[in-house]
């Protein structure tokens, strides 16, 4: 039987090892930008929330505590302008990388389906397609894709690695295209709060999605915006039917966020 890992590309950071060795041999050493890992401390407030919930002997739930869902929906409404967000529109995940990698599988995609993502992109979109046996398709402009067979479309704004930010009008155009063709749109927005010259906008903003989350989901991570990469804290928000299905599957799969981490996220989003 063929190994599943045979479907995967070389692990990106392994591929970089020889280049790192060359750079490290330079007299002044290496400036290592290969992994975007936070180096600033976890804010005290978040650390206190984590340790305050250290006595958590029971199993947490995949959907999270009501307090966590309140914190997420409050943040979606206040920070993203997603005024219709309720509890059925949110689902915590164990860091966004696992979600990106396993989403196509959890959506039931496989051979004959297509997963599309930007030509220059975070490598895990491709990995997700390959893990479930779907075809990985790259795009320059998603609305120029042949929609036949495209079951999942990834956006990433602001983009890793290009930094490109999709303007509101562009998002409106892409959301309309995806809905017209029945393509499920997932927007990876884990750098949304780190805009530099531009003010990044979410697909969940009322003016982008028209106040309805049908066919669209945003992915958010606490790793970069709150220096929480070590906690594995993220969530998705949007279409209630899609999230309900994922909740069911993730419950059976035991993909729950640790209870102290849930408490830490409540503190982080409320700050
Ligand atoms: C575009 C993008 N999406 C998702 C992730 C995964 O982040 P995490 O798993 O820490 O939430 C990263 C991490 O660098 C990223 O750059």
């Amino acid at each position: 039987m063929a190994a599943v890992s045979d479907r995967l590309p070389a692990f990106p950071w392994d591929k970089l090892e020889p280049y790192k060795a060359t750079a490290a041999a330079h007299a002044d050493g290496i400036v290592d930008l290969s992994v975007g890992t936070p180096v600033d401390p976890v804010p005290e407030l978040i650390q206190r929330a984590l340790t305050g919930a250290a006595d958590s002997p029971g199993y947490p739930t995949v959907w999270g505590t009501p307090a966590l869902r309140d914190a997420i929906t409050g943040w979606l409404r206040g920070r993203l302008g997603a005024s219709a967000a309720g509890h059925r529109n949110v689902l915590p995940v164990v860091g966004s990388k696992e979600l990106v990698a396993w989403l196509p599988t959890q959506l039931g995609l496989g051979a004959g389906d297509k997963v599309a993502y930007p030509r220059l992109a975070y490598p895990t979109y491709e990995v997700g397609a390959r893990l479930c046996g779907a075809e990985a398709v790259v795009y320059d402009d998603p609305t120029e894709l042949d929609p036949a067979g495209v079951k999942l479309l990834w956006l990433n704004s602001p983009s890793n690695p290009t930094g490109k930010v999709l303007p509101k009008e562009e998002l409106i155009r892409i959301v309309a295209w995806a809905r017209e063709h029945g393509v499920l749109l997932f927007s990876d927005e884990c750098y949304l709060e780190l805009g530099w010259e531009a003010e990044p906008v979410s697909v969940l903003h009322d003016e982008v999605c028209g106040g309805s989350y049908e066919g669209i989901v945003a992915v958010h991570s606490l790793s970069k915006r709150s220096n929480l990469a070590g906690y594995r804290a993220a969530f998705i928000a949007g279409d209630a039917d899609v999230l309900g299905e994922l909740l069911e599957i993730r419950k059976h799969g035991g993909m729950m966020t640790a209870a102290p981490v849930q408490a830490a996220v409540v503190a982080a989003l409320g700050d």
Side-chain angles (χ1 to χ4, degrees):
M1 203 169 78
V4 175
S5 60
D6 288 347
R7 293 186 213 149
L8 303 180
F11 194 62
W13 290 274
D14 290 343
K15 217 158 71 181
L16 289 176
E17 275 313 317
Y19 303 101
K20 280 172 102 167
T22 306
H26 189 276
D28 294 323
I30 177 175
V31 177
D32 187 356
L33 303 177
S34 60
V35 180
T37 197
V39 292
D40 293 323
V42 172
E44 283 286 338
L45 171 102
I46 301 177
Q47 294 192 38
R48 276 200 303 277
L50 182 90
T51 54
D55 185 17
S56 296
Y59 286 107
T61 62
V62 172
W63 203 17
T65 59
L68 175 59
R69 280 178 256 137
D70 277 344
I72 296 174
T73 52
W75 182 84
L76 291 170
R77 289 193 294 261
R79 185 67 183 80
L80 300 196
S83 65
H87 281 204
R88 291 184 61 241
N89 302 111
V90 302
L91 182 62
V93 296
V94 193
S96 62
K97 180 164 177 159
E98 63 88 357
L99 183 276
V100 174
W102 293 107
L103 176 70
T105 301
Q106 291 174 6
L107 290 173
L109 304 189
D113 298 323
K114 294 179 186 164
V115 174
Y117 52 86
R119 185 175 303 281
L120 199 54
Y122 179 60
T124 313
Y125 308 126
E126 177 188 351
V127 167
R130 288 179 178 243
L131 277 173
C132 75
E135 186 185 338
V137 179
V138 296
Y139 65 77
D140 297 309
D141 173 349
T143 65
E144 285 172 1
L145 284 166
D146 173 0
V150 179
K151 296 289 168 56
L152 174 63
L153 171 63
W154 279 107
L155 298 184
N156 177 215
S157 171
S159 153
N160 171 15
T162 68
K164 184 178 170 196
V165 175
L166 294 173
K168 192 193 279 177
E169 299 64 41
E170 186 71 1
L171 287 173
I172 292 171
R173 199 171 66 82
I174 296 168
V175 167
W177 181 88
R179 283 179 171 160
E180 182 190 339
H181 297 289
V183 173
L184 179 61
L185 175 63
F186 262 67
S187 177
D188 182 344
E189 302 181 349
C190 67
Y191 298 105
L192 193 91
E193 291 179 291
L194 306 178
W196 201 294
E197 286 149 350
E199 187 63 55
V201 180
S202 171
V203 277
L204 302 184
H205 191 290
D206 292 350
E207 289 169 22
V208 174
C209 66
S212 154
Y213 309 130
E214 192 197 332
I216 55 175
V217 178
V219 179
H220 284 274
S221 171
L222 281 287
S223 293
K224 316 292 162 97
R225 59 95 64 195
S226 299
N227 295 337
L228 287 192
Y231 285 37
R232 309 312 300 136
F235 57 89
I236 55 178
D239 189 310
D241 291 340
V242 174
L243 267 55
E245 171 71 7
L246 292 173
L247 171 61
E248 202 53 33
I249 289 159
R250 294 170 65 87
K251 271 159 65 174
H252 284 289
M255 306 187 79
M256 66 273 250
T257 313
V261 171
Q262 294 191 23
V265 172
V266 172
L269 293 179
D271 187 21

